[in-house]
Amino acid sequence: MDFLFVFFLGSIFGSFLNVCIYRLPENLSLVKPGSFCPSCKNPVRAWQNVPIFSYVFLKGKCGNCGSRISAQYPIVELISGLITVLTYYYFGLTPVFFVYTVFIYFLIVIAFIDYKTELIYNKVLITLLVFGLIFNVFYPFMAWEAGLYGLLAGGGILFLFSLLGKILFKKEALGMGDVKLAAVAGFFLGMQNVLIAIYFGFIIALVTMVVLRIFKKAELKGKIPLGPFLAAGLIVFLFWGKLIINVYFSYVLG
Ligand SMILES: [Zn+2]
C-alpha cells in the first residue's frame, strides 16, 4: 500500500474524529445528520469535505456563509493522516496496526476534547476499553493478566499523584479523568510500558510549560489539562519508546 494512500485514508478518519470532538461534548449523534457548518447549519457538500484540501481551498471559510472554520479541523486531519502512516510504517498491515491506530484515534479525540472542555468523558474511555477487550478476544495483543496489571499500574500511579497533588497544593491538580485515562491506556500497553509512557507525558508537559513560559504565552494560573500531554506521551512511546530508552541507557550507562 502506498504511504500517500494511507495518509489520505487516515485524514478521512481524522474528519470523523473532528465530528466526534465537536459532537460528543454536546451529546449529539455521531452519524446523523452529516457534517454541517456550526455557524449557518448548512450541510457540508462532498467536495467541501475533502480532508485538509477543502480547508486550504476555501481559505478556512465556510463555503456557504463565509464564516471562519476552526483550524482544529485541518490540524486533526493532518495529525490523523501522519499517525496512520506511522502506525502502518512501524506495525505493517497486522492486527497490532489496527488496534494501535484505533487506540491513537481515541487519544486524539480525548486530547482535543480535554483541551477544549477540560473534561475526559467516561463514555469515550469506556468505549475504548470495551474495544480493547473485544479486540483482544479475537486478536490477542496483550496477555489478560498483563493488561490487568497495566490498568492497575497506570490508574494507580496517577491516583497517587492526584492524592499527592491535593496534599501539596491543597487543590485538585490532577483530575479523575486523567487517572481513568491512564488506567485504560495501561490495558493497551501493559504495566512497564504505561509507566514509561506516563513519564514521557510528564516530560512533554514540563517542556511545553517551560517553552510557553519563555515566550510568555501561557496563563499559568489556570488549570492546564493533562490529557493532551498524557496522550502525547502514549503516542511517542508507541512509536519511539524503545528507541528513546535504548539511546538513553547507552548514553547514561554506556
Ligand atoms: Zn456556514
Side-chain angles (χ1 to χ4, degrees), residues 33-38 40-49 62-64:
S35 296
F36 59 88
C37 164
C40 66
K41 313 282 184 220
N42 271 312
V44 178
R45 278 167 244 284
W47 69 270
Q48 299 167 332
N49 212 0
C62 166
N64 297 309

Side-chain angles (χ1 to χ4, degrees), residues 32-244:
K32 281 201 290 186
S35 296
F36 59 88
C37 164
S39 188
C40 66
K41 313 282 184 220
N42 271 312
V44 178
R45 278 167 244 284
W47 69 270
Q48 299 167 332
N49 212 0
V50 184
I52 306 166
F53 291 103
S54 291
Y55 183 86
V56 175
F57 189 71
L58 293 166
K59 298 190 179 75
K61 287 180 188 134
C62 166
N64 297 309
C65 69
S67 65
R68 284 210 77 72
I69 295 163
S70 161
Q72 173 210 302
Y73 289 88
I75 290 171
V76 168
E77 288 159 357
L78 187 68
I79 292 175
S80 307
L82 291 174
I83 291 272
T84 313
V85 167
L86 283 171
T87 45
Y88 178 64
Y89 175 76
Y90 282 110
F91 303 115
L93 209 56
T94 59
V96 178
F97 157 76
F98 185 74
V99 75
Y100 283 127
T101 305
V102 173
F103 175 61
I104 295 177
Y105 285 170
F106 269 86
L107 291 178
I108 293 171
V109 170
I110 289 166
F112 275 85
I113 292 180
D114 192 23
Y115 176 70
K116 286 165 74 163
T117 66
E118 294 192 10
L119 285 171
I120 296 176
Y121 286 83
N122 283 335
K123 56 185 173 185
V124 181
L125 290 174
I126 291 167
T127 310
L128 174 58
L129 184 60
V130 168
F131 159 74
L133 293 172
I134 292 174
F135 195 87
N136 207 32
V137 171
F138 296 102
Y139 297 98
F141 61 94
M142 178 64 62
W144 292 106
E145 237 179 39
L148 179 67
Y149 289 150
L151 193 135
L152 294 173
I157 192 87
L158 278 211
F159 184 67
L160 275 180
F161 283 146
S162 81
L163 281 183
L164 210 67
K166 247 182 223 165
I167 296 165
L168 289 175
F169 305 114
K170 303 249 184 308
K171 64 172 186 182
E172 192 102 340
L174 223 146
M176 274 303 124
D178 301 315
V179 175
K180 285 180 266 182
L181 169 59
V184 173
F187 175 77
F188 282 84
L189 265 67
M191 178 160 76
Q192 195 187 5
N193 291 348
V194 80
L195 293 179
I196 299 168
I198 290 168
Y199 180 67
F200 283 1
F202 279 116
I203 301 267
I204 296 169
L206 197 71
V207 170
T208 310
M209 237 86 92
V210 170
V211 169
L212 288 178
R213 192 102 208 213
I214 290 168
F215 291 101
K216 293 196 169 70
K217 285 218 163 118
E219 297 129 53
L220 290 179
K221 282 167 252 163
K223 201 173 135 220
I224 297 150
L226 185 66
F229 296 112
L230 277 180
L234 290 162
I235 293 169
V236 167
F237 179 85
L238 277 177
F239 294 137
W240 303 292
K242 297 227 161 64
L243 178 76
I244 294 171

